[in-house]
mmCIF file of all heavy atoms in Angstrom:
data_model
loop_
_atom_site.group_PDB
_atom_site.id
_atom_site.type_symbol
_atom_site.label_atom_id
_atom_site.label_comp_id
_atom_site.label_asym_id
_atom_site.label_seq_id
_atom_site.Cartn_x
_atom_site.Cartn_y
_atom_site.Cartn_z
ATOM 1 N N LEU A 1392 40.239 -37.870 57.509
ATOM 2 C CA LEU A 1392 39.115 -37.306 58.160
ATOM 3 C C LEU A 1392 38.340 -36.252 57.318
ATOM 4 O O LEU A 1392 37.079 -36.184 57.298
ATOM 5 C CB LEU A 1392 39.480 -36.676 59.490
ATOM 6 C CG LEU A 1392 38.440 -36.577 60.583
ATOM 7 C CD1 LEU A 1392 37.916 -38.038 60.907
ATOM 8 C CD2 LEU A 1392 38.955 -35.965 61.768
ATOM 9 N N TYR A 1393 39.119 -35.339 56.617
ATOM 10 C CA TYR A 1393 38.442 -34.425 55.803
ATOM 11 C C TYR A 1393 37.604 -35.020 54.624
ATOM 12 O O TYR A 1393 36.615 -34.525 54.462
ATOM 13 C CB TYR A 1393 39.606 -33.553 55.194
ATOM 14 C CG TYR A 1393 39.158 -32.444 54.269
ATOM 15 C CD1 TYR A 1393 38.445 -31.394 54.703
ATOM 16 C CD2 TYR A 1393 39.474 -32.633 52.928
ATOM 17 C CE1 TYR A 1393 38.042 -30.446 53.822
ATOM 18 C CE2 TYR A 1393 39.132 -31.642 51.969
ATOM 19 C CZ TYR A 1393 38.420 -30.559 52.400
ATOM 20 O OH TYR A 1393 38.051 -29.580 51.458
ATOM 21 N N LEU A 1394 38.226 -36.062 54.043
ATOM 22 C CA LEU A 1394 37.504 -36.688 52.813
ATOM 23 C C LEU A 1394 36.268 -37.512 53.284
ATOM 24 O O LEU A 1394 35.223 -37.446 52.761
ATOM 25 C CB LEU A 1394 38.422 -37.578 52.135
ATOM 26 C CG LEU A 1394 39.628 -36.803 51.403
ATOM 27 C CD1 LEU A 1394 40.543 -37.857 50.716
ATOM 28 C CD2 LEU A 1394 39.100 -35.864 50.405
ATOM 29 N N VAL A 1395 36.433 -38.233 54.453
ATOM 30 C CA VAL A 1395 35.343 -39.175 54.939
ATOM 31 C C VAL A 1395 34.352 -38.420 55.844
ATOM 32 O O VAL A 1395 33.138 -38.581 55.502
ATOM 33 C CB VAL A 1395 36.004 -40.305 55.663
ATOM 34 C CG1 VAL A 1395 34.893 -41.191 56.280
ATOM 35 C CG2 VAL A 1395 36.900 -41.152 54.799
ATOM 36 N N ALA A 1396 34.802 -37.640 56.802
ATOM 37 C CA ALA A 1396 33.826 -36.932 57.657
ATOM 38 C C ALA A 1396 33.281 -35.609 57.066
ATOM 39 O O ALA A 1396 32.089 -35.366 57.149
ATOM 40 C CB ALA A 1396 34.480 -36.743 58.938
ATOM 41 N N GLU A 1397 34.180 -34.857 56.411
ATOM 42 C CA GLU A 1397 33.755 -33.560 55.968
ATOM 43 C C GLU A 1397 33.062 -33.688 54.601
ATOM 44 O O GLU A 1397 32.035 -33.062 54.412
ATOM 45 C CB GLU A 1397 35.070 -32.610 55.871
ATOM 46 C CG GLU A 1397 34.710 -31.159 55.523
ATOM 47 C CD GLU A 1397 34.218 -30.375 56.735
ATOM 48 O OE1 GLU A 1397 34.242 -30.955 57.877
ATOM 49 O OE2 GLU A 1397 33.887 -29.183 56.565
ATOM 50 N N LEU A 1398 33.642 -34.395 53.736
ATOM 51 C CA LEU A 1398 33.076 -34.465 52.366
ATOM 52 C C LEU A 1398 32.185 -35.741 52.125
ATOM 53 O O LEU A 1398 31.508 -35.879 51.178
ATOM 54 C CB LEU A 1398 34.188 -34.554 51.357
ATOM 55 C CG LEU A 1398 35.083 -33.271 51.318
ATOM 56 C CD1 LEU A 1398 36.044 -33.447 50.078
ATOM 57 C CD2 LEU A 1398 34.299 -31.981 51.147
ATOM 58 N N GLY A 1399 32.217 -36.654 53.227
ATOM 59 C CA GLY A 1399 31.263 -37.782 53.138
ATOM 60 C C GLY A 1399 31.625 -38.802 52.087
ATOM 61 O O GLY A 1399 30.648 -39.566 51.684
ATOM 62 N N LEU A 1400 32.848 -39.062 51.952
ATOM 63 C CA LEU A 1400 33.264 -40.197 50.919
ATOM 64 C C LEU A 1400 33.065 -41.509 51.611
ATOM 65 O O LEU A 1400 33.309 -41.647 52.791
ATOM 66 C CB LEU A 1400 34.638 -39.992 50.501
ATOM 67 C CG LEU A 1400 34.960 -38.869 49.515
ATOM 68 C CD1 LEU A 1400 36.444 -38.904 49.202
ATOM 69 C CD2 LEU A 1400 34.154 -38.838 48.359
ATOM 70 N N SER A 1401 32.770 -42.493 50.801
ATOM 71 C CA SER A 1401 32.646 -43.833 51.375
ATOM 72 C C SER A 1401 34.023 -44.490 51.429
ATOM 73 O O SER A 1401 34.982 -43.886 50.871
ATOM 74 C CB SER A 1401 31.779 -44.775 50.428
ATOM 75 O OG SER A 1401 32.484 -44.970 49.170
ATOM 76 N N PRO A 1402 34.222 -45.598 52.205
ATOM 77 C CA PRO A 1402 35.600 -46.164 52.238
ATOM 78 C C PRO A 1402 36.152 -46.513 50.908
ATOM 79 O O PRO A 1402 37.236 -46.427 50.640
ATOM 80 C CB PRO A 1402 35.298 -47.417 53.151
ATOM 81 C CG PRO A 1402 34.149 -47.001 54.016
ATOM 82 C CD PRO A 1402 33.259 -46.174 53.146
ATOM 83 N N LEU A 1403 35.114 -47.023 50.043
ATOM 84 C CA LEU A 1403 35.578 -47.351 48.607
ATOM 85 C C LEU A 1403 36.094 -46.024 47.887
ATOM 86 O O LEU A 1403 37.169 -46.007 47.237
ATOM 87 C CB LEU A 1403 34.502 -47.922 47.812
ATOM 88 C CG LEU A 1403 34.740 -48.380 46.364
ATOM 89 C CD1 LEU A 1403 36.029 -49.260 46.268
ATOM 90 C CD2 LEU A 1403 33.685 -48.875 45.675
ATOM 91 N N GLY A 1404 35.378 -44.869 48.050
ATOM 92 C CA GLY A 1404 35.761 -43.669 47.452
ATOM 93 C C GLY A 1404 37.104 -43.175 47.982
ATOM 94 O O GLY A 1404 37.993 -42.725 47.245
ATOM 95 N N PHE A 1405 37.205 -43.327 49.342
ATOM 96 C CA PHE A 1405 38.496 -43.041 49.840
ATOM 97 C C PHE A 1405 39.642 -43.894 49.388
ATOM 98 O O PHE A 1405 40.731 -43.445 49.255
ATOM 99 C CB PHE A 1405 38.535 -43.010 51.400
ATOM 100 C CG PHE A 1405 39.767 -42.650 52.106
ATOM 101 C CD1 PHE A 1405 40.251 -41.391 52.105
ATOM 102 C CD2 PHE A 1405 40.396 -43.703 52.686
ATOM 103 C CE1 PHE A 1405 41.474 -41.122 52.740
ATOM 104 C CE2 PHE A 1405 41.678 -43.451 53.310
ATOM 105 C CZ PHE A 1405 42.163 -42.160 53.261
ATOM 106 N N GLY A 1406 39.314 -45.204 49.159
ATOM 107 C CA GLY A 1406 40.340 -46.108 48.811
ATOM 108 C C GLY A 1406 40.814 -45.668 47.519
ATOM 109 O O GLY A 1406 42.006 -45.781 47.047
ATOM 110 N N VAL A 1407 39.937 -45.276 46.537
ATOM 111 C CA VAL A 1407 40.396 -44.708 45.177
ATOM 112 C C VAL A 1407 41.296 -43.572 45.360
ATOM 113 O O VAL A 1407 42.371 -43.490 44.706
ATOM 114 C CB VAL A 1407 39.111 -44.335 44.388
ATOM 115 C CG1 VAL A 1407 39.545 -43.667 43.104
ATOM 116 C CG2 VAL A 1407 38.281 -45.658 44.092
ATOM 117 N N LEU A 1408 40.900 -42.617 46.227
ATOM 118 C CA LEU A 1408 41.761 -41.304 46.348
ATOM 119 C C LEU A 1408 43.020 -41.706 47.082
ATOM 120 O O LEU A 1408 44.096 -41.174 46.748
ATOM 121 C CB LEU A 1408 41.020 -40.313 47.146
ATOM 122 C CG LEU A 1408 39.982 -39.518 46.397
ATOM 123 C CD1 LEU A 1408 39.358 -38.422 47.343
ATOM 124 C CD2 LEU A 1408 40.546 -38.884 45.221
ATOM 125 N N ASP A 1409 43.000 -42.591 48.073
ATOM 126 C CA ASP A 1409 44.227 -43.015 48.714
ATOM 127 C C ASP A 1409 45.140 -43.836 47.731
ATOM 128 O O ASP A 1409 46.414 -43.565 47.891
ATOM 129 C CB ASP A 1409 43.858 -43.852 49.918
ATOM 130 C CG ASP A 1409 45.089 -44.117 50.796
ATOM 131 O OD1 ASP A 1409 45.693 -43.120 51.358
ATOM 132 O OD2 ASP A 1409 45.550 -45.285 50.855
ATOM 133 N N GLY A 1410 44.555 -44.579 46.895
ATOM 134 C CA GLY A 1410 45.423 -45.210 45.918
ATOM 135 C C GLY A 1410 46.093 -44.205 45.024
ATOM 136 O O GLY A 1410 47.241 -44.353 44.677
#
Side-chain angles (χ1 to χ4, degrees):
L1392 204 61
Y1393 175 68
L1394 296 176
V1395 175
E1397 187 79 4
L1398 300 185
L1400 290 182
S1401 67
L1403 178 57
F1405 176 73
V1407 172
L1408 283 182
D1409 189 65

